[in-house]
Amino acid sequence: MRSMNRLFAAVLGLALVAGAQAAEKVYQVASDAAYAPFEWQDKNQKVVGFDIDVLSAAAAKAGIKVQFHNTPWEGIFATLATGDRDIVASAVTITPERKQTMDFSDPYFEAKQLIAVTANSPIKRFADLKGKKVGVQTGTTGDEVVQKLLGKTSPNIKRFESTPLALQELLSGGVDAVVADNGVVVNFLANNKNAKLKTLDDPSFAKEHYGFAVKKGNKDLLAKINKGLATIKADGTYDKIYRKYFGN
Ligand code: ARG
């Protein structure tokens, strides 16, 4: 009888330890937090933004914990393969090429490229960027779009480690245009009212969809994120977050 009790206590103890460990699992999230309104750092260095609110809300519904880390865009996807991070939440466009090396959640935001130029620029459309210096963030879909027009190795493509840096270069005259995600360009213009920049849309730019990226094959985590996303889309939480950042 005694040994039975001891066995019972041991099994109970193991179950408690296992339970505590399961509850403590915190998924580590990489965001290049120089990308307002999707991700940036507030004055306390906390990573905040639309992506953070969406993923946090989805995670809460799925019963998982997430922790965000400002992580440079260059090399951000490699952190999944190495296991340093479990999720990339960084306004990442779902592309067929990226899908070969990582898995994506269901889409959570629609975007497209936008051209930023100075207010008095003669540039009217995307094709006018031929022969011009164009700023992009390295390795983004903006970079890819511009490569198609100017050629992969064109010296006229000026690559920056962040999109705000590319836009600063436009302000200081180092580039003639910047091609980047619409939401970030619009946000930059709104916060730099005196800068005299304007945006140009181009019908050749394809629709893009942002997804949360996980290590290829991490089906379990992906299912949880997707379940959470579906829940917040259905119960109005997503719409509320959307309105907070983008109005109606
Ligand atoms: N949507 C673009 C892409 O996936 C740009 C994303 C850049 N995100 C960032 N946080 N810097 O290539």
Side-chain angles (χ1 to χ4, degrees):
M1 202 53 208
R2 247 231 203 103
S3 62
M4 273 295 276
N5 278 341
R6 232 179 265 148
L7 178 67
F8 180 72
V11 169
L12 183 69
L14 276 177
L16 284 175
V17 168
Q21 273 177 354
E24 272 164 18
K25 168 80 183 164
V26 178
Y27 290 96
Q28 306 300 318
V29 186
S31 307
D32 169 28
Y35 216 64
F38 300 99
E39 45 267 337
W40 75 95
Q41 283 184 298
D42 70 7
K43 56 181 188 309
N44 304 317
Q45 308 286 83
K46 195 173 170 241
V47 180
V48 295
F50 177 78
D51 289 351
I52 286 73
D53 285 5
V54 170
L55 183 59
S56 299
K61 300 283 182 188
I64 59 172
K65 290 208 168 75
V66 286
Q67 189 179 355
F68 294 87
H69 304 270
N70 185 19
T71 308
W73 177 254
E74 277 198 82
I76 202 166
F77 299 124
T79 65
L80 294 176
T82 60
D84 284 342
R85 303 284 186 263
D86 303 296
I87 305 171
V88 176
S90 201
V92 181
T93 301
I94 303 169
T95 70
E97 301 78 48
R98 287 175 181 163
K99 272 183 170 175
Q100 292 177 4
T101 53
M102 64 195 90
D103 286 336
F104 283 98
S105 72
D106 293 331
Y108 66 89
F109 191 81
E110 189 182 305
K112 65 186 295 195
Q113 296 305 304
L114 200 56
I115 305 164
V117 293
T118 51
N120 57 3
S121 170
I123 295 166
K124 295 243 161 356
R125 58 188 66 79
F126 185 48
D128 296 342
L129 297 184
K130 276 228 147 144
K132 296 279 194 291
K133 289 197 186 101
V134 186
V136 297
Q137 183 176 10
T138 311
T140 56
T141 44
D143 188 352
E144 284 169 25
V145 159
V146 175
Q147 282 177 35
K148 276 189 202 131
L149 185 75
L150 302 187
K152 239 188 170 61
T153 58
S154 168
N156 278 335
I157 304 179
K158 305 292 176 197
R159 296 192 169 89
F160 297 86
E161 68 185 55
S162 81
T163 296
L165 280 176
L167 288 160
Q168 286 298 339
E169 193 70 7
L170 178 62
L171 293 183
S172 59
V175 295
D176 303 300
V178 167
V179 178
D181 289 5
N182 53 348
V184 173
V185 171
V186 166
N187 182 274
F188 186 88
L189 264 65
N191 290 317
N192 293 271
K193 285 252 162 61
N194 302 327
K196 299 216 163 54
L197 298 179
K198 65 180 178 189
T199 62
L200 304 171
D201 203 345
D202 194 279
S204 73
F205 294 152
K207 257 188 208 168
E208 299 184 19
H209 293 97
Y210 294 168
F212 299 114
V214 303
K215 185 177 185 169
K216 193 147 193 62
N218 196 347
K219 293 210 173 66
D220 175 60
L221 177 55
L222 207 56
K224 286 178 176 138
I225 297 172
N226 282 338
K227 183 175 160 246
L229 270 179
T231 307
I232 65 165
K233 282 179 188 170
D235 74 1
T237 306
Y238 178 90
D239 290 338
K240 211 172 139 196
I241 298 170
Y242 188 96
R243 277 197 301 275
K244 170 176 165 193
Y245 289 93
F246 304 103
N248 286 314

